Amino acid sequence: KADECFLLVPVVIFFGYFSFIHSLNYNADYILPVYPFLFILSSKIITFRFSEKIISTLFFTAIFFLSFWLIIGTLLAFPHYSAYFNEIVGKENGYKYYIAYDRGQDLLGLKEYMDGQHLTSIKLGFNGEVNPEYFGIHYDYLPSAGFLQWQAQKKGIKDECKPVKGHLAVSVRLLTFFEENRGCYDWLKQYEPVEKIGHTLFIYNIK
């Protein structure tokens, strides 16, 4: 129907523009406005009717199963929705495949961890555009991306990609997609993190 086809217009425009014309790292963020239109269009599936009863039964059983899966997956992802990854890859491995998995969203969790461990300061390699000091986090700079890197460059501090000891917090993007200093944290691969904050900040205690 014409009115239903009209719902596809914003979907095509948003997907086309942000996928092929405007080059952005976090494309998924910019297509969020199309989801209400897709929900309305997909709701029509409930009105489908089949001549064969068995096909109809199988179809609606599949719809029920997929809806149930969506609900359970959403509940299991709580509260770290930004770091969600499908169940096949697993939320623990998402950072290995998708650069936008880590956007520096777990500073509050880091602060809570530090308070729980009675840490007054931590060595921090961070990917994000927020100043950790806003959360009351005192840190020693490690090679970073985003705000901390910009601040370090402003102060004339050069990144030193070398092993360090003590308590470290490192954003997972720096472990996998650190284009500015590729391989900078390869030395950490021999260690297991003692804690993972929201799936995007790995905590190490190097002695």
Side-chain angles (χ1 to χ4, degrees), residues 79-207:
H80 306 295
Y81 295 121
S82 294
Y84 170 80
F85 219 88
N86 65 63
E87 288 76 14
I88 296 175
V89 172
K91 58 187 178 182
E92 297 291 338
N93 298 311
Y95 73 94
K96 299 176 183 177
Y97 302 95
Y98 185 42
I99 189 172
Y101 185 91
D102 171 20
R103 307 180 190 185
Q105 65 263 33
D106 287 310
L107 285 177
L108 181 59
L110 175 60
K111 174 59 176 172
E112 292 174 351
Y113 172 82
M114 291 175 65
D115 290 343
Q117 297 295 317
H118 307 291
L119 297 174
T120 57
S121 181
I122 197 165
K123 294 179 174 67
L124 178 63
F126 179 63
N127 170 65
E129 303 302 330
V130 180
N131 188 346
E133 292 178 350
Y134 293 160
F135 294 85
I137 296 173
H138 300 285
Y139 63 91
D140 294 319
Y141 176 80
L142 293 178
S144 299
F147 176 82
L148 290 194
Q149 185 184 50
W150 170 79
Q151 193 177 55
Q153 290 173 347
K154 237 180 124 180
K155 296 178 180 177
I157 300 174
K158 294 184 178 180
D159 287 351
E160 296 184 8
C161 297
K162 62 181 182 180
V164 295
K165 294 184 178 181
H167 283 93
L168 285 67
V170 181
S171 291
V172 292
R173 186 205 158 199
L174 306 182
L175 301 174
T176 50
F177 297 103
F178 196 6
E179 296 90 348
E180 297 89 339
N181 283 304
R182 194 173 297 278
C184 191
Y185 287 101
D186 283 353
W187 64 273
L188 269 178
K189 291 180 180 178
Q190 61 183 307
Y191 300 99
E192 286 293 325
V194 296
E195 187 66 59
K196 296 179 180 179
I197 309 296
H199 312 300
T200 67
L201 274 172
F202 283 9
I203 310 297
Y204 298 89
N205 186 10
I206 311 299
K207 299 179 180 179

